[in-house]
Amino acid sequence: MAETLKSIYSETFLRSFGSKVHGAYAPFDPERFVAQTMDAAWEGLELKARMRQITLKLGEQLPVAFSEAVGVLYAIDETCTGFPYLFFPDFVEVFGRAEADWPLAMQAFERFTPKSSAEFAVRSFLLRDPERMMRQMVEWSGHGNEHVRRLSSEGCRPRLPWGQALPMFKRDPAPILPILEQLKADPSLYVRKSVANNLNDIAKDHPQLVLEIARRWKGAHPHTDWIVRHGCRTLIRKGGPEVLELFGYAAAGESEPLAAAATLAVEPAVLSIGDGCDLRYELTVREGEPAKVRIEYGIDFVKAGGRTSRKLFLLSDKTVPGGARLTGTRRHSWADLTTRRHYPGEHRIVLLVNGAEAAETALQLQAAPE
């Protein structure tokens, strides 16, 4: 069985880290740190809870003054790089909240984010003082380091996975826009991905705003065009006529659908949770001019209470001649994931061409055998 992500915080890791801290700050007791961190509740803690546990137990032994505590971390941070050290920014979030420590907390975020990432830790500062923190984020958007520029965008995403929600930016994303404007042609793909993800977050609450931005940005620069395309991916999946026209997808005529004929079949049509099925599709594009088509299948997943929620999966996205016949097979797994749990029941499956349903079938999902 594959190890879970939280297992990176092993006793070996904690002992190694404790030794580094002791080397920079002699009063720090690595044995006590490991014992207190891996307490009776440790095994039941998930990844972020383990990060916070490390932060708190670290703070119990470092100097009370934030400036002195951060000084200890500064002494070892060159050897503490990568995902496991997300608790460095977390330490700033927890222990750098005092008004007097604000400048040093910002400096620490800027220093630590290239070594791990401060995208989660800055969010509590945004919630507490959004105007002041967004001024800092705008400043970071012009930084020479790509990691710091990315932080300016990633940290204020309205719907950052794993991060605290930012309801004020879900309601009104206007404070974010100057940062995205600053970064819309950034030379770093790492930064551009964050800008696109931020736009995609905004599109879920303010689709018309993102469409307006996309129209204004499109064609300005190849880097910007990449951001626009990826930032509008949710809008493209929804298949609205405005966004499809913007990106050159063929639209259905008033009397003639884009898919002149289409079929979708599933085999087997009855299976248990944990099994897999084959989806086979065939469609014929209407005659005439070449057409840019986006072919997806959507599954109306049955949820715990009996309701359904649709998830889309891309099959093909390309330009084809008029009258083209397209076929394909896709294997779909019904194993539970950390992000999706399956429930028994009839699952409707649809084939979509440029957002319009062209064919459908159904699959009966049964509980996994005991």
Side-chain angles (χ1 to χ4, degrees), residues 15-36:
R15 288 191 182 281
S16 175
F17 175 68
S19 295
K20 292 178 183 179
V21 180
H22 177 70
Y25 181 62
F28 189 86
D29 182 348
E31 291 298 324
R32 176 185 159 199
F33 169 69
V34 172
Q36 291 186 335

Side-chain angles (χ1 to χ4, degrees), residues 79 246 279:
T79 64
L246 179 64
L279 293 167

Side-chain angles (χ1 to χ4, degrees), residues 313-370:
F313 303 87
L314 181 63
L315 291 167
S316 182
D317 191 327
K318 59 184 178 182
T319 299
V320 299
R325 177 175 171 271
L326 306 175
T327 63
T329 300
R330 174 66 59 87
R331 184 74 177 172
H332 186 92
S333 172
W334 294 84
D336 285 340
L337 306 171
T338 55
T339 54
R340 186 187 314 124
R341 181 174 174 80
H342 297 89
Y343 296 91
E346 184 175 273
H347 290 65
R348 181 171 179 257
I349 308 175
V350 297
L351 182 70
L352 299 109
V353 182
N354 291 3
E357 293 186 13
E360 69 173 275
T361 187
L363 177 144
Q364 190 70 37
L365 189 64
Q366 301 175 341
E370 293 294 335

